[in-house]
C-alpha cells in the first residue's frame, strides 16, 4: 500500500493501473467497521482500490464539530492496509483548496435543501458536492463506494454525478451496525457510556416503524397501536409517535422524516417506497440513521 | 467526420481513439473564421479533434439574445469537416439538461463577478461554467481550445479547471479579426452595414489605447495628448477618453476596463500587465473585444 498526498502523485500512481478497474472509497478517516465493509466491497470488485482520507472543512457547518472530528491517521492506515487498499490519497487542505480557490459545485432542489440541508445549512451539501467532485476527478474511478447511512449525501452525489456526467458508477453498501443495532459512525466514539446506551433508541425506533408499516400494509392483520395511524396521514402519526418516543428515551430528535428515497420529497401514501430518516442529538453528539422500505 | 447527439455515443466513439490525444473545441455554432482558427490549432496538435456544437440556453441572460442567436448547423458541419474535425458532438437541450437537472458549477470572486459577470448577471458565468464542465467531462480531452476574444470566460474556465482538478490543458488562441480589425463574432452577422462600419471604433479604440500606453511607458518619448493621462490614474483617464470616443462614434459602451489578465482585479499602475476590455452596444447588438498589454 502506498500513501500519496497530492493529486498529481495520485494520478501518476494510477496511470499504469488503468488496464483494470479502479474503485474509490472516499472517507474522512476515523475508520471503523462500516468503512471496512466499503473497502472489502471495492477489493472484491476492482483491480485497484483507492481510499481517500480527507476531513473536508467546507462541509462542516459547526466549527466545534470540525475541531472535535476524530483524526486517527496511523490507525486508519493500518485498517486500510488490512482491508487490501492499494493507494491511500491523504491530501492536506492546501492541496484540495489552494489559495484563490473559488469554485463550488452546488445541487439545488428538495434533495439538497430538505432534512440535512435544512438543519446544517446550504453550505453543507455544497461542501460535500464540491469535495466529492474533486475526489472523483482526481481518481477518475470506475466505481465509488458510499454507505447507505448517509442516504441524503448519496442522493445528492447521485444527482451531481448524473447532472455533470462524471463517468463513475456509484455503489451503495448497506449500513453497518453494532450488535445492538446502532449504526456505525466515527462520531460514536464521542458518546459517553450512558449516551451510547440511550442512542440505541434511534435504530430501535426505525425498527418499530418498519414493523408498524408492515402491519399497516398487511391486508388483514391487526393494525399497530399508534394514535392516528389509521387516519389520513399515517406517516405523520408515526412521526409524532417516534419523536415522542425518542424524547422519552432522552434523545433530542431534529427530524423523523418519511421521504422518497431518490428525490427526498415527502411521502404520505403508506404503500409507496419510503426512506425513513432520523437525525437526533444524544448529548452533544449529532447522529443520523435511516431505513428504506420498498413499496407495498 | 461523424456527428453524435448523446454523451454515451460520444464516449463510445472516443473509446478506441484514446491511444492518441484528443482535442475539444467547444462552440455554439454559427461558425466563422475565428472558430476555424481553433479547429486548425486542434487539428495540428491532436490525433482526434472533437467539436461540440451546442447553443447553451443557461448562459444567455436575455431571452431575446438566445432567440436571435444564429443557428446554422448545415453550414457549421461543412466548415467543421473542411477544418478536419473527426467528431461533432451536437446534443439537444434535453440531452444536456434532462428533467430534474439541479446541479450548478459556480465560480465566485472578482474573476466571475466583474465586467461580464456584472453586466450579464451571475447566471451567465454559472451557465458557462456548468456547460463547459459537462462538455469537458463528456469528452475528457487532453486539450480544450478557446478564443482570446472571450477573455473573461477563459479566465473563469481556467479557474474552475484548476479548482475542480479537471484533467485538461487549456489552449487559448489569438482573437481572429477581419481586415479592418473587428473581432470575428457570430453576433457580427446581426449588424446592419452602417452598424458594421461604426463597430470598427471598438478595435480602433483598443489600438489607440495600446499606442497611448506604449508612449506612457517610453522613458523619453512625447506623452499622448489625452487629458489627465499624466496624473495619478492614467488608466482612469484613458477610460474616460475611450468612452467619450466610442460614444462619438455612435456606439454605446457598457465598460472600458483595465484589469489583471488572470484575476480581473482592476489595475491602476501603467507599468503592470493589463487586459483592456470593452463591451459595447452597436444598435441592438452587444459586442466585446480586448487586448492584453504585457508589463513594462
Amino acid at each position: 500500500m502506498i500513501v500519496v498526498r497530492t493529486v498529481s502523485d495520485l494520478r501518476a500512481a494510477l496511470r499504469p493501473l488503468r488496464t483494470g478497474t479502479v474503485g474509490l472509497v472516499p472517507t474522512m478517516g476515523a475508520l471503523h467497521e462500516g468503512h471496512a465493509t466499503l473497502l472489502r466491497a471495492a477489493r472484491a470488485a476492482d483491480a485497484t482500490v483507492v481510499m481517500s482520507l480527507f476531513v473536508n472543512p467546507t462541509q462542516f457547518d459547526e466549527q466545534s464539530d470540525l475541531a472535535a472530528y476524530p483524526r486517527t491517521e496511523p490507525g486508519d492506515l493500518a485498517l486500510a492496509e488490512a482491508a487490501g487498499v492499494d493507494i491511500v490519497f491523504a491530501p492536506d487542505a492546501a492541496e484540495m483548496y489552494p489559495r484563490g480557490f473559488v469554485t463550488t459545485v452546488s445541487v439545488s432542489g428538495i434533495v439538497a435543501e430538505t432534512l440535512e440541508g435544512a438543519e446544517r445549512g446550504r453550505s453543507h451539501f455544497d461542501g460535500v458536492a464540491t469535495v466529492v467532485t474533486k475526489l472523483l476527478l482526481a481518481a477518475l474511478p470506475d466505481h465509488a463506494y458510499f454507505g447507505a447511512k448517509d442516504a441524503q449525501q448519496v442522493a445528492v452525489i447521485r444527482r451531481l454525478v448524473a447532472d455533470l456526467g462524471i463517468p463513475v458508477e456509484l455503489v451503495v453498501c448497506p449500513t453497518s451496525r453494532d450488535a445492538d443495532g446502532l449504526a456505525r459512525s466515527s462520531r460514536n466514539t464521542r458518546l459517553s457510556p450512558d449516551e451510547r446506551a440511550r442512542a440505541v433508541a434511534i435504530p430501535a425506533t426505525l425498527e418499530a416503524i418498519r414493523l408498524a408499516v408492515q402491519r399497516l400494509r398487511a391486508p388483514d392483520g391487526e393494525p399497530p397501536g399508534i394514535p392516528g395511524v389509521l387516519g389520513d396521514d399515517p406517516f405523520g402519526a408515526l412521526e409524532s409517535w417516534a419523536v415522542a418516543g425518542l424524547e422519552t428515551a432522552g434523545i433530542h430528535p431534529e427530524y423523523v422524516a418519511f421521504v422518497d428515497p431518490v428525490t427526498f420529497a415527502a411521502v404520505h401514501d403508506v404503500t409507496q417506497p419510503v426512506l425513513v430518516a432520523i437525525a437526533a442529538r444524544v448529548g452533544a453528539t449529532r447522529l443520523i440513521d435511516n431505513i428504506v422500505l420498498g413499496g407495498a
Side-chain angles (χ1 to χ4, degrees), chain A:
Chain A
M1 184 177 86
I2 64 165
V3 179
V4 296
R5 304 283 176 186
T6 66
V7 173
S8 69
D9 283 354
L10 173 63
R11 287 187 177 145
L14 283 171
R15 202 163 296 126
L17 303 170
R18 293 285 179 194
T19 46
T21 62
V22 173
L24 171 69
V25 181
T27 82
M28 299 210 299
L31 302 186
H32 51 64
E33 178 56 26
H35 299 97
T37 304
L38 303 181
L39 295 172
R40 284 193 297 265
R43 185 68 284 164
D46 291 302
T48 300
V49 176
V50 179
M51 181 185 91
S52 63
L53 195 172
F54 179 59
V55 181
N56 177 35
T58 68
Q59 74 191 66
F60 283 82
D61 46 307
E62 295 176 11
Q63 282 306 306
S64 60
D65 190 32
L66 172 59
Y69 203 84
R71 286 166 177 81
T72 56
E73 187 173 309
D76 292 344
L77 296 182
L79 186 149
E81 183 142 36
V85 169
D86 299 302
I87 303 172
V88 174
F89 174 51
D92 64 13
E95 171 70 9
M96 294 299 276
Y97 304 114
R99 232 170 86 89
F101 188 97
V102 285
T103 303
T104 302
V105 178
S106 187
V107 175
S108 59
I110 293 172
V111 71
E113 288 159 13
T114 190
L115 305 185
E116 293 298 287
E119 293 290 339
R120 305 188 64 176
R122 169 141 204 145
S123 65
H124 169 62
F125 281 128
D126 283 359
V128 169
T130 304
V131 81
V132 170
T133 299
K134 283 177 64 73
L135 292 171
L136 292 173
L137 295 181
L140 286 176
D142 298 277
H143 306 115
Y145 296 80
F146 297 91
K149 183 173 81 71
D150 299 317
Q152 193 174 1
Q153 172 174 294
V154 169
V156 167
I157 293 168
R158 204 179 276 296
R159 193 69 247 178
L160 81 87
V161 163
D163 285 355
L164 296 184
I166 300 176
V168 65
E169 188 185 325
L170 302 186
V171 181
V172 181
C173 298
T175 300
S176 175
R177 297 182 182 280
D178 285 345
D180 61 4
L182 185 68
R184 292 192 169 107
S185 165
S186 304
R187 290 187 176 83
N188 291 358
T189 58
R190 296 193 215 159
L191 299 170
S192 70
D194 175 60
E195 289 168 346
R196 175 67 187 72
R198 277 187 275 150
V200 179
I202 297 171
T205 299
L206 289 171
E207 193 50 31
I209 290 171
R210 183 203 304 275
L211 293 173
V213 171
Q214 217 168 62
R215 283 170 66 177
L216 279 172
R217 285 173 175 179
D220 47 12
E222 191 186 348
I226 292 171
V229 85
L230 297 178
D232 286 346
D233 186 10
F235 286 149
L238 285 169
E239 178 188 342
S240 304
W241 173 81
V243 164
L246 288 166
E247 283 170 349
T248 303
I251 286 178
H252 308 290
E254 287 185 358
Y255 57 74
V256 176
F258 298 76
V259 298
D260 181 280
V262 174
T263 66
F264 276 67
V267 172
H268 297 288
D269 177 347
V270 78
T271 68
Q272 293 299 302
V274 66
L275 181 137
V276 189
I278 294 179
R281 291 200 185 255
V282 186
T285 304
R286 185 175 188 277
L287 300 177
I288 60 173
D289 198 355
N290 70 83
I291 52 170
V292 174
L293 308 177

